[in-house]
Amino acid sequence: VFLSSLLHLGSALAKPLPNFFQAKTLDEIRKASQSNKRTMEEVLRGRRNLKNRRLETSTHILADQFGGTPGFYHSVASGDPLMEAVVIWTRYTPASMDEEITLEFRMAAVDSALEFDAHLDPTMNPAIKRGLVTVTKETDFIAKIDVTGLESNTQYVYAFLTDEETPVVSDVGMTRTAPAPGDDAESLTYAFFSCAHFSNGFFHAYDIASSVEDIDLAIFVGDYYYEYGNYDNYARQASPLRDDKVLPIWEVIDLQDYRNRHSTYVAYDEGLRNLRRRVPIMAFWDDHETSNDSFGTADIIGAENHQPVCSANETSTIEEKNAAKCDRDEGDAVARFEAAAQAYMEWLPLRYVEGSMGQLNIGSITKVIEWGDLATIVGVDSRMSYRTSAGGLAFDNPGYGFVAFNETNVTAYSDPSTSVYQVLQGTKFQDLADRNLENRTIIGESISVLETAFEKSKADGKPWQIWAGNTMMGHYVLPDLSILYLDAPEEIQPFVKDLWDFILPSEDGLVPRIVTALAQAGVEWNLDDYSGFHNERMKIVELAQTKTNNMIVLGGDLHDGFAWQVPSSGLVEGEPVFVNLGCASVTSPGFGPNFLPFFASIQEAIGGLGVVYDIIEKAFLRQNPNLKFVNLELKGPTIVTVTGTTHTAEYFGVTDLDRVSDYPDARGDSMTASPVCKGGVVTMADEPGSLTSFEDCSTTVFATERPAVFDLRVPASSTADLDVLSGCGYLGCSFGSIAVTDAPSAATDATDAPNAATDAPVAPADPTAAPNAATDTSAAAWLDYSFISALMSFLCILVVVM
């Protein structure tokens, strides 16, 4: 059956699943699959418009987008913290793209012995690191500085300002360096995230994470943004409030397109700016940063959402465009994906690492961060270097569709005496054999990076080896709908049983029968993750067994929250070897809501929406013995606290109403939208692969005020003796006493709002007064802030936020 998009919520193409569930014939399934990939009219509404018979193209984002006044509308960010270095970032928005702007940057260690406002004042703090950097259109007016020669395990503040008598001043950012071996760093708090769709909600997950006390690091594990144009079918719940800010309105193809989509996310989402400003980040792409379902090796490259040659053009009829599924050539995939990679490296505070990723000769996103005596954190490319295919779904296999179409009695699927059972088992046998082929790879030779880093980490006695992956590894089978009633409270089981007894044999039950056939055969449905690359999954199991003390693998992609134990078989059987944690999305729609229409007729009778979600989540847990936690309901951050003995992940979400509400409405009288605890899991350091779930989130502590240092004064000062850097775009520039040449890279994404309560950026205030100037504040008053006091003592409690 030909369901190239069915249930593929991980790659975020699908419309709600009922479109498939309601299909009555194979032909209708084919049509549903095609509609799932967007009608041509919908695509064209998001493509370039004709002007003078030429397609529109993206241009640099200038001050006219923000009222006409130049300024730092994308705030600041930092990332890839090493023991002696960290990358700081900003983007200045000029009035004209032909301008050449000189910016001053300042960075200082937080020091309780200094007066509060002395930190970034060169006349009061001789220890400030300062320099000048020139930004131009060639680097999209980005400044990215790798500041070296820093003290380990130290909190820093930094800012940028224009080099003029009355400067325009950026937000003040906070960052930190990683601890060195032997430093007093008993914990690590980090948050990890994936799948942020701009038109499906506000990024409250980031905002909430930015309010975690003593947070050390934010990790992006993929789909940091989406490449789609403004069309009307997928993930549109917040479109009335968000669509008018999206640039470009068409699908991103070239370098400036990708740059402008980055700009949209940062400039027009306060939560993302708050996180980027608050904490250093690491970032690793999945597919949407280039194009949906992208793949590449030294020999092949492409994506589901990339059409190199189009048989239609901008003057073709709508019928011709429909037939071609495009309105122009999308060109060479290498050129497109290199443009995406350059923009990614420009707009995120990533340390440049020489190298290539498959056919992309633009550097590498590989990075290794050592966190004192506690942990080693590693990330590698999983799309462009060694991925041999775009993945797919079990539903693509016609054998499973044949079973469901020809037999409506689902009990026959598990009865060895029936012919459909034989077809189902034969299909499974060949399917799994294909998945186990040695030439099917995701990370390929990059596994050596993990082996080298983790083997050293193990030898050094570090309890935790953390891999910031992208797609998931845990064994993941959809629930058997014929016994879904068993997961309902006893008193309502008859209602649920009658419902599915009616749906499954009906004309409307074709796709539910396919789901049930896969469940009864124990077949994993998502071939885009390691379910489709089992041979490589087994290599990773061996890596965990031989090269690590206790490996934690992070991922996203599925839009829902999960936590698995991965056993020695890589499937179900065997002792646990390592843990695989999956964060819920920031906003992208997940699996759960797609079941809701089927419960509509009985939802209120059985207790409401909460009961329905509880049934579905329990069904997922029953179907997958190694799955120990699932959250299908809410989107939000996953916050992790790591100590020498435990790795604790707490899953938070926001209500659907808050997700589609702008920041002032969702926050009310609080600093952020209210985080809802969905529970969590803990792994013990002396029990590799252990995973115990809990219901109450008691580890994470949220602040009630923004850090005091955000209000630091940044006064004008002479720059006559400062060094000038230039060309600091995606390559970045190194500044300081140490050249960081051999250090592994770490990606970051952290900037904060331009001191505005509203979502849209505002023009800088009167330039005669520094925008971030603070009132006179004594050191004693400053130290009243509990957060800053903790910084001073360096007793940071590390919390992981998704």
Side-chain angles (χ1 to χ4, degrees):
V1 160
F2 320 155
L3 300 171
S4 56
S5 294
L6 175 61
L7 302 178
H8 202 349
L9 300 175
S11 63
L13 272 182
K15 283 186 176 182
L17 295 184
N19 290 328
F20 286 101
F21 275 105
Q22 293 165 5
K24 300 177 178 63
T25 68
L26 296 182
D27 186 60
E28 288 184 13
I29 289 178
R30 294 187 191 97
K31 291 179 179 178
S33 178
Q34 291 304 312
S35 69
N36 231 29
K37 291 194 173 181
R38 298 165 289 156
T39 66
M40 198 58 222
E41 288 85 355
E42 289 170 328
V43 173
L44 294 179
R45 280 202 294 273
R47 286 208 185 266
R48 303 172 189 261
N49 300 317
L50 271 177
K51 284 189 176 180
N52 299 322
R53 302 196 62 77
R54 295 182 63 84
L55 291 170
E56 280 188 279
T57 57
S58 292
T59 58
H60 294 279
I61 300 296
L62 301 174
D64 59 358
Q65 293 283 333
F66 308 109
T69 304
F72 295 93
Y73 294 102
H74 302 85
S75 193
V76 295
S78 70
D80 288 354
L82 302 177
M83 290 178 285
E84 74 287 357
V86 69
V87 178
I88 60 173
W89 178 101
T90 196
R91 201 260 186 183
Y92 184 77
T93 303
S96 166
M97 70 177 181
D98 295 321
E99 292 185 58
E100 184 176 290
I101 310 296
T102 299
L103 305 176
E104 180 190 351
F105 56 91
R106 300 178 187 175
M107 187 172 186
V110 174
D111 185 352
S112 59
L114 284 174
E115 290 186 24
F116 177 74
D117 275 330
H119 280 79
L120 293 174
D121 185 343
T123 66
M124 301 176 68
N125 183 6
I128 291 177
K129 287 182 173 287
R130 301 173 67 201
L132 298 174
V133 57
T134 301
V135 297
T136 66
K137 64 183 179 182
E138 280 69 33
T139 58
D140 204 26
F141 301 98
I142 295 291
K144 190 170 76 169
I145 316 297
D146 190 2
V147 184
T148 65
L150 304 178
E151 295 295 323
S152 65
N153 198 35
T154 300
Q155 299 283 345
Y156 285 86
V157 290
Y158 64 98
F160 294 81
L161 59 160
T162 55
D163 184 26
E164 50 193 344
E165 185 175 349
T166 306
V168 179
V169 183
S170 75
D171 290 325
V172 173
M174 296 179 64
T175 191
R176 61 160 301 146
T177 50
D183 281 349
D184 183 11
E186 297 181 354
S187 65
L188 162 68
T189 297
Y190 70 92
F192 70 108
F193 310 88
S194 74
C195 305
H197 196 295
F198 191 82
S199 295
N200 207 53
F202 292 82
F203 299 157
H204 294 291
Y206 297 147
D207 199 36
I208 290 169
S210 76
S211 73
V212 173
E213 287 198 5
D214 302 328
I215 184 170
D216 294 297
L217 192 62
I219 304 175
F220 298 91
V221 295
D223 297 345
Y224 170 73
Y225 67 84
Y226 284 74
E227 82 278 20
Y228 300 138
N230 273 4
Y231 46 85
D232 300 323
N233 64 336
Y234 174 70
R236 312 294 298 157
Q237 289 187 340
S239 58
L241 297 175
R242 305 275 267 180
D243 275 0
D244 64 335
K245 298 177 175 66
V246 175
L247 289 175
I249 63 170
W250 50 81
E251 183 181 315
V252 296
I253 300 294
D254 62 29
L255 175 59
Q256 201 59 46
D257 286 347
Y258 282 105
R259 287 168 164 175
N260 290 1
R261 185 59 56 85
H262 278 277
S263 172
T264 293
Y265 271 56
V266 181
Y268 291 108
D269 194 274
E270 185 181 343
L272 179 55
R273 293 195 305 273
N274 282 341
L275 181 66
R276 288 167 53 106
R277 176 187 186 185
R278 169 64 184 83
V279 65
I281 66 171
M282 300 176 71
F284 307 93
W285 64 27
D286 192 20
D287 54 340
H288 286 288
E289 289 88 345
T290 49
S291 184
N292 180 63
D293 281 357
S294 54
F295 60 92
T297 68
D299 302 313
I300 60 172
I301 192 168
E304 180 277 336
N305 198 30
H306 179 75
Q307 296 79 39
V309 178
C310 182
S311 60
N313 57 49
E314 65 270 22
T315 63
S316 300
T317 66
I318 193 68
E319 290 78 17
E320 291 169 336
K321 293 173 182 176
N322 269 315
K325 301 188 180 299
C326 51
D327 67 341
R328 67 185 175 106
D329 293 350
E330 293 181 343
D332 177 55
V334 173
R336 179 182 182 181
F337 298 163
E338 281 195 337
Q342 179 176 333
Y344 189 78
M345 294 177 184
E346 285 174 341
W347 277 81
L348 287 163
L350 310 180
R351 179 172 291 105
Y352 177 75
V353 175
E354 289 188 5
S356 61
M357 295 176 285
Q359 297 174 55
L360 308 190
N361 295 309
I362 197 166
S364 170
I365 63 171
T366 294
K367 61 210 68 179
V368 179
I369 298 293
E370 302 291 349
W371 203 266
D373 298 312
L374 194 61
T376 299
I377 308 169
V378 180
V380 299
D381 167 47
S382 67
R383 284 288 169 181
M384 293 288 99
S385 300
Y386 297 104
R387 182 179 276 264
T388 53
S389 77
L393 302 165
F395 301 90
D396 298 331
N397 191 314
Y400 301 124
F402 175 88
V403 168
F405 184 74
N406 287 281
E407 179 56 75
T408 62
N409 178 9
V410 297
T411 61
Y413 303 163
S414 57
D415 183 352
S417 67
T418 65
S419 60
V420 293
Y421 173 86
Q422 302 302 325
V423 173
L424 181 58
Q425 293 301 314
T427 301
K428 171 185 176 181
F429 178 83
Q430 185 58 55
D431 181 13
L432 299 189
D434 292 341
R435 300 183 193 202
N436 203 39
L437 292 173
E438 190 170 355
N439 63 0
R440 287 180 59 84
T441 61
I442 291 179
I443 63 167
E445 294 178 17
S446 293
I447 196 171
S448 64
V449 175
L450 298 168
E451 290 173 338
T452 300
F454 286 165
E455 187 172 34
K456 180 180 184 302
S457 180
K458 179 180 181 179
D460 290 342
K462 297 182 183 183
W464 305 105
Q465 289 72 45
I466 301 171
W467 176 10
N470 310 117
T471 54
M472 304 308 295
M473 295 188 190
H475 188 262
Y476 181 25
V477 175
L478 298 175
D480 182 345
L481 301 177
S482 70
I483 56 173
L484 192 66
Y485 70 93
L486 295 176
D487 300 298
E490 185 175 357
E491 64 274 15
I492 64 171
Q493 285 185 4
F495 293 96
V496 180
K497 186 177 188 302
D498 288 347
L499 175 70
W500 287 99
D501 283 351
F502 172 78
I503 291 173
L504 284 168
S506 71
E507 285 187 326
D508 295 327
L510 176 57
V511 175
R513 290 196 298 273
I514 299 176
V515 171
T516 298
L518 291 171
Q520 293 190 12
V523 175
E524 298 171 278
W525 65 278
N526 184 14
L527 279 69
D528 189 55
D529 64 20
Y530 286 86
S531 302
F533 301 80
H534 183 66
N535 182 273
E536 188 161 274
R537 178 161 58 184
M538 289 308 300
K539 292 181 180 180
I540 293 164
V541 170
E542 182 181 3
L543 160 71
Q545 290 173 319
T546 60
K547 307 291 186 182
T548 74
N549 286 320
N550 202 326
M551 186 168 79
I552 306 291
V553 180
L554 310 179
D557 186 56
L558 295 177
H559 301 183
D560 294 313
F562 297 97
W564 280 277
Q565 292 176 303
V566 179
S568 56
S569 68
L571 299 170
V572 178
E573 300 79 15
E575 292 298 313
V577 175
F578 66 90
V579 165
N580 184 198
L581 303 180
C583 58
S585 69
V586 175
T587 59
S588 297
F591 208 111
N594 296 287
F595 283 95
L596 301 184
F598 298 100
F599 284 90
S601 62
I602 66 169
Q603 179 173 308
E604 293 308 315
I606 65 175
L609 184 62
V611 173
V612 173
Y613 269 114
D614 188 58
I615 293 170
I616 300 168
E617 290 176 351
K618 286 180 178 177
F620 274 77
L621 292 169
R622 172 180 44 78
Q623 193 70 49
N624 299 279
N626 296 317
L627 180 63
K628 302 302 180 183
F629 173 86
V630 59
N631 164 32
L632 303 179
E633 185 177 8
L634 300 180
K635 309 305 162 199
T638 302
I639 302 172
V640 182
T641 302
V642 187
T643 69
T645 57
T646 58
H647 183 282
T648 305
E650 295 183 330
Y651 292 75
F652 293 90
V654 296
T655 65
D656 283 345
L657 178 60
D658 279 351
R659 176 174 52 79
V660 298
S661 298
D662 204 345
Y663 289 93
D665 293 332
R667 289 169 175 166
D669 295 330
S670 301
M671 188 171 75
T672 69
S674 297
V676 179
C677 170
K678 289 293 293 182
V681 291
V682 60
T683 297
M684 306 304 295
D686 58 355
E687 299 177 34
S690 63
L691 201 58
T692 303
S693 63
F694 55 83
E695 295 183 356
D696 298 323
C697 302
S698 58
T699 301
T700 304
V701 178
F702 295 101
T704 57
E705 294 180 309
R706 298 291 178 191
V709 294
F710 281 5
D711 295 321
L712 278 172
R713 190 170 60 89
V714 187
S717 185
S718 172
T719 60
D721 298 327
L722 299 183
D723 295 331
V724 182
L725 307 175
S726 62
C728 305
Y730 82 90
L731 293 172
C733 293
S734 181
F735 177 85
S737 59
I738 310 174
V740 185
T741 54
D742 299 324
S745 147
T748 60
D749 177 22
T751 78
D752 188 272
N755 293 334
T758 59
D759 179 36
V762 297
D766 181 353
T768 60
N772 292 323
T775 56
D776 286 341
T777 308
S778 68
W782 174 37
L783 292 175
D784 285 340
Y785 287 88
S786 61
F787 180 79
I788 301 302
S789 298
L791 297 184
M792 296 306 92
S793 66
F794 303 117
L795 299 176
C796 299
I797 301 172
L798 301 177
V799 179
V800 172
V801 181
M802 150 187 154

